């Protein structure tokens, strides 16, 4: 089952190949450290308070030298998530939806699969190592959960240049202005997840727009 799923997902991703994500420093002016820290605290507070959000973009996944890339749509409603990959050429799709304690993976050979942990379900079915629960925060440039184990390296304007947490290191690129990243590159051992955001939608993007001078 896992081999078939892995082959299907590899074909799906390869059919929608796009440019990879390059780790890099945030864009923005250099500001005094105290001001940068204050700016980042305000940005983090706005993003966390913004509520439901979604994004569309391009993702590249690799693990132990194998992988591919495709289109991604991520919708977050409270603690619930719905993540879809699509290949327009083949019209194939893969979808992972759930909330803490439950997840459902669709689009696999043999039918949907369900489990209590989204990341474990995905790994067992496809072999991909993707930190699904943490990504909901990391995508927005925030440490996951309470963030007590996170090490954040600030960029010259206070926004995170990288976050190290749970064995993963996430490098960011930022637009010249705004509260939400434009790219991220997450790595742990041989696993790598790269994502380019084409568009943010929902309350998070509205908060970012309101914060832009």
């Amino acid at each position: 089952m896992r081999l078939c799923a892995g082959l299907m997902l590899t074909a799906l991703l390869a059919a929608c190949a796009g440019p990879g994500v390059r780790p890099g420093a945030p864009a923005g002016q250099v500001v005094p450290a105290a001001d940068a820290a204050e700016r980042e605290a305000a940005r983090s507070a706005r993003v966390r308070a913004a509520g439901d959000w979604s994004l569309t973009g391009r993702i590249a996944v690799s693990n132990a030298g194998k992988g591919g890339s495709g289109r991604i749509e991520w919708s977050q409603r409270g603690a619930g998530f719905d993540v879809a990959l699509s290949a327009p050429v083949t019209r194939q799709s893969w979808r992972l939806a759930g909330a803490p304690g439950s997840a459902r993976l669709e689009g696999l050979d043999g039918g949907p699969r369900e489990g209590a942990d989204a990341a474990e379900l995905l790994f067992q079915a496809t072999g991909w190592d993707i930190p699904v629960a943490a990504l909901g925060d990391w995508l927005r440039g925030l440490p996951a959960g309470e963030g007590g184990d996170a090490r954040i390296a600030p960029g010259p304007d206070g926004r995170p240049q990288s976050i190290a947490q749970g064995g993963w290191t996430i490098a960011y690129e930022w637009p010249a202005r705004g509260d939400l990243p434009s790219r991220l590159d997450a790595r742990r051992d041989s696993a790598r997840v790269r994502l380019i955001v084409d568009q943010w939608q929902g309350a998070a993007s509205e908060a970012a727009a309101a914060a832009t001078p």
Side-chain angles (χ1 to χ4, degrees), residues 5-167:
L7 291 173
M8 188 285 296
L9 186 55
T10 299
L12 164 64
L13 293 171
C16 196
V21 179
R22 303 183 311 275
Q29 62 181 4
V30 178
V31 298
D35 292 344
E38 184 176 347
R39 286 188 182 187
E40 174 53 19
R43 183 200 72 86
S44 297
R46 286 193 299 269
V47 171
R48 288 197 181 278
D52 299 343
W53 56 271
S54 63
L55 67 78
T56 57
R58 291 158 283 167
I59 189 171
V61 182
S62 61
N63 194 6
K66 299 178 181 179
S69 57
R71 298 291 305 176
I72 184 171
E73 298 179 6
W74 185 304
S75 296
Q76 191 81 25
R77 301 293 178 265
F81 57 87
D82 189 309
V83 185
L85 282 169
S86 62
V89 174
T90 63
R91 297 186 180 181
Q92 292 178 295
S93 63
W94 165 86
R95 184 176 297 273
L96 178 66
S102 66
R104 179 182 175 88
L105 182 61
E106 301 177 348
L108 301 175
D109 183 33
R113 299 186 66 175
E114 297 182 353
D117 182 89
E120 181 64 20
L121 174 65
L122 186 61
F123 182 77
Q124 291 299 325
T126 68
W128 300 112
D129 185 6
I130 301 178
V132 179
L135 269 180
D137 288 325
W138 291 344
L139 285 170
R140 296 175 294 156
L142 302 171
E146 297 298 322
D149 62 334
R151 300 193 312 276
I152 303 173
D157 61 358
R159 295 179 296 185
Q161 184 169 6
S162 68
I163 296 175
Q165 187 176 21

Side-chain angles (χ1 to χ4, degrees), residues 147-191:
D149 62 334
R151 300 193 312 276
I152 303 173
D157 61 358
R159 295 179 296 185
Q161 184 169 6
S162 68
I163 296 175
Q165 187 176 21
W168 289 84
T169 299
I170 306 93
Y172 291 96
E173 289 186 15
W174 296 82
R177 303 178 186 276
D179 286 347
L180 298 169
S182 56
R183 300 184 178 211
L184 67 82
D185 188 332
R187 303 184 188 215
R188 182 176 70 177
D189 300 326
S190 63

